[in-house]
Amino acid sequence: MSMAPNPADPPGTSRSTSATIQPNILRYLVVVADERGVDLRPLLKQMGLDETVMRSAALRVSYRQGSAVIRRALELTGDERLGLRVGAAQHLTAWGLLGFALMAAETLQHAIETGVKYQNLSGAMVVWSAGVGQEDDAFVLRADLPDPAMDPAVASFLSEEAFASVVTLSRLAVDPALAPRAVEFSFPSPRQLDLYSVLFHCPVRFGAPANRMIIDAAWARARMPGRDPVGYASTLEMLDEQMASRRDQQDLLEVLEISVAQSLPVVPSFGEQARRHATSERTLRRRLADCGTTYEALVEGVRRERVEQLLLRPEPTLRDIARRAGFSDERALRRAVRRWHGASPVELRERMRTARL
């Protein structure tokens, strides 16, 4: 018997569910973890990201997948500064066309502004912005988190990886002596500080209002050794085409996610979704494959988000949560939560509530 969505249930989804991010960070994370004696491949395989899939240029992962792998890697390695190491291990070649565009830009500032403009193609898991500072002509690069409620350990990892990769790639492209004026992190000061000075060669502040890197004007205006106006312009044309295609993919995923979220606990069949989009099942399946996902994975992501939202509330019982998220019974809910988080629903509820305090 069909059931209407509970009006108390959240009506939509967040972009954390959509598989839209190039997995550059995860690829380098695997390499760095290997060097520390930790094999992340079984974890990736468990999430449907085996080695063959990870080598695919078309692969996209979601914020949720990326965050889950990062969280587990931090636990397995016991390395609180893993983000710095992953950022320092990177190369521009991993960014494909965007990496070429950065190398062909006129100046370092020009290259960074290009990276900010096309950040959705870089595999970034932070939200970049940049501009000239108000106090003087220093160039300021800012990295905001996509979700303020993100796990603090994952948030620190992403902030550190972001600035470590920028400094590392800038030195590779411009000058090994390059150093920012200052780097600021919004998280509290960690116990280990030596790696920051070794990597950034500048003052590093913690507990700041935002994650920022301040670059002196002289370095910002430094000319890129590989600058090529013609190559740069032609590469931007191809990047614009990729951005347009990416927007179409994100629109499709968002529409499907909202459709599933609004229909829970009943999940629309794939054939029904194809009819809603006035297309064939084969075409819709191909479009989802181009996005690096499947309808089954998308549905699971929406149901997982619904479960997590409901666990944060004190009133729903596990039976209520199982029903509202479309599970057959509590046992199916427990199996799913154990697969997603390695914990029972009760343990996850307590963990999530503690993290919010």
Side-chain angles (χ1 to χ4, degrees), residues 289-344:
D290 290 341
C291 297
T293 191
T294 64
Y295 184 59
E296 292 74 20
L298 184 145
V299 168
E300 174 144 329
V302 174
R303 294 171 78 183
R304 175 174 174 169
E305 187 164 35
R306 177 62 56 83
V307 168
E308 292 170 357
Q309 290 171 335
L310 292 170
L311 282 172
L312 281 171
R313 302 178 184 177
E315 68 277 5
T317 64
L318 293 186
R319 179 179 296 179
D320 292 334
I321 294 172
R323 178 182 57 81
R324 295 187 193 184
F327 290 98
S328 57
D329 52 33
E330 290 180 49
R331 287 181 300 176
L333 171 65
R334 290 193 184 95
R335 286 196 297 269
V337 173
R338 179 72 62 179
R339 184 173 69 251
W340 298 331
H341 292 280
S344 71

Side-chain angles (χ1 to χ4, degrees), residues 169-232:
L169 298 178
S170 297
R171 287 173 181 156
L172 289 172
V174 180
D175 190 326
L178 184 147
R181 178 191 298 179
V183 174
E184 299 174 345
F185 291 109
S186 60
F187 55 83
S189 177
R191 289 170 296 180
Q192 302 171 321
L193 295 174
D194 54 333
L195 196 54
Y196 293 93
S197 57
V198 169
L199 178 59
F200 293 115
H201 302 165
C202 71
V204 179
R205 308 182 186 108
F206 300 93
N211 299 309
R212 302 194 313 162
M213 176 179 289
I214 303 163
I215 303 172
D216 283 325
W219 279 121
R221 291 195 292 264
R223 303 186 76 185
M224 300 291 285
R227 60 189 178 279
D228 183 334
V230 175
Y232 177 77

Side-chain angles (χ1 to χ4, degrees), residues 199-272:
L199 178 59
F200 293 115
H201 302 165
C202 71
V204 179
R205 308 182 186 108
F206 300 93
N211 299 309
R212 302 194 313 162
M213 176 179 289
I214 303 163
I215 303 172
D216 283 325
W219 279 121
R221 291 195 292 264
R223 303 186 76 185
M224 300 291 285
R227 60 189 178 279
D228 183 334
V230 175
Y232 177 77
S234 61
T235 304
L236 290 196
E237 290 181 5
M238 291 184 279
L239 290 174
D240 286 334
E241 292 177 1
Q242 288 187 11
M243 286 284 283
S245 174
R246 179 67 58 82
R247 281 191 292 270
D248 290 342
Q249 292 177 354
Q250 289 175 331
D251 288 345
L252 172 64
L253 293 174
E254 182 176 352
V255 167
L256 288 173
E257 286 178 349
I258 291 174
S259 172
V260 173
Q262 291 179 336
S263 299
L264 286 176
V266 176
V267 176
S269 69
F270 189 69
E272 184 177 347

Side-chain angles (χ1 to χ4, degrees), residues 21-283:
I21 308 167
Q22 287 188 338
N24 293 338
I25 293 176
L26 299 190
R27 289 186 176 120
Y28 280 104
L29 181 58
V30 169
V31 174
V32 173
D34 272 346
E35 294 171 352
R36 307 187 74 73
V38 174
D39 185 3
L40 295 180
R41 293 171 186 81
L43 172 63
L44 292 170
K45 187 173 183 179
Q46 181 182 350
M47 301 182 69
L49 302 172
D50 60 28
E51 289 197 71
T52 302
V53 173
M54 287 292 288
R55 285 196 294 266
S56 170
L59 176 63
R60 300 291 182 268
V61 298
S62 67
Y63 278 95
R64 188 181 302 284
Q65 285 177 305
S67 297
V69 173
I70 291 167
R71 185 182 303 108
R72 187 61 178 144
L74 288 167
E75 294 171 355
L76 291 172
T77 62
D79 187 349
E80 296 179 352
R81 306 280 68 84
L82 194 61
L84 293 177
R85 302 184 201 282
V86 171
Q90 296 185 33
H91 299 280
L92 275 170
T93 49
W95 292 15
L97 279 176
L98 179 56
F100 181 83
L102 301 186
M103 290 187 287
E106 183 67 21
T107 65
L108 176 61
Q109 178 174 333
H110 194 196
I112 292 176
E113 289 172 339
T114 301
V116 169
K117 179 179 179 181
Y118 296 100
Q119 60 185 284
N120 286 347
L121 301 177
S122 70
M125 291 182 67
V126 296
V127 181
W128 290 108
S129 58
V132 176
Q134 297 178 350
E135 302 168 0
D136 53 26
D137 58 353
F139 187 64
V140 179
L141 180 62
R142 176 166 168 158
D144 292 308
L145 297 171
D147 181 358
M150 181 178 286
D151 181 307
V154 176
S156 297
F157 174 99
L158 293 179
S159 303
E160 292 178 343
E161 184 279 332
F163 288 141
S165 63
V166 168
V167 166
T168 299
L169 298 178
S170 297
R171 287 173 181 156
L172 289 172
V174 180
D175 190 326
L178 184 147
R181 178 191 298 179
V183 174
E184 299 174 345
F185 291 109
S186 60
F187 55 83
S189 177
R191 289 170 296 180
Q192 302 171 321
L193 295 174
D194 54 333
L195 196 54
Y196 293 93
S197 57
V198 169
L199 178 59
F200 293 115
H201 302 165
C202 71
V204 179
R205 308 182 186 108
F206 300 93
N211 299 309
R212 302 194 313 162
M213 176 179 289
I214 303 163
I215 303 172
D216 283 325
W219 279 121
R221 291 195 292 264
R223 303 186 76 185
M224 300 291 285
R227 60 189 178 279
D228 183 334
V230 175
Y232 177 77
S234 61
T235 304
L236 290 196
E237 290 181 5
M238 291 184 279
L239 290 174
D240 286 334
E241 292 177 1
Q242 288 187 11
M243 286 284 283
S245 174
R246 179 67 58 82
R247 281 191 292 270
D248 290 342
Q249 292 177 354
Q250 289 175 331
D251 288 345
L252 172 64
L253 293 174
E254 182 176 352
V255 167
L256 288 173
E257 286 178 349
I258 291 174
S259 172
V260 173
Q262 291 179 336
S263 299
L264 286 176
V266 176
V267 176
S269 69
F270 189 69
E272 184 177 347
Q273 294 286 18
R275 288 191 294 275
R276 290 180 184 179
H277 286 78
T279 188
S280 67
E281 292 186 30
R282 180 178 180 180
T283 298

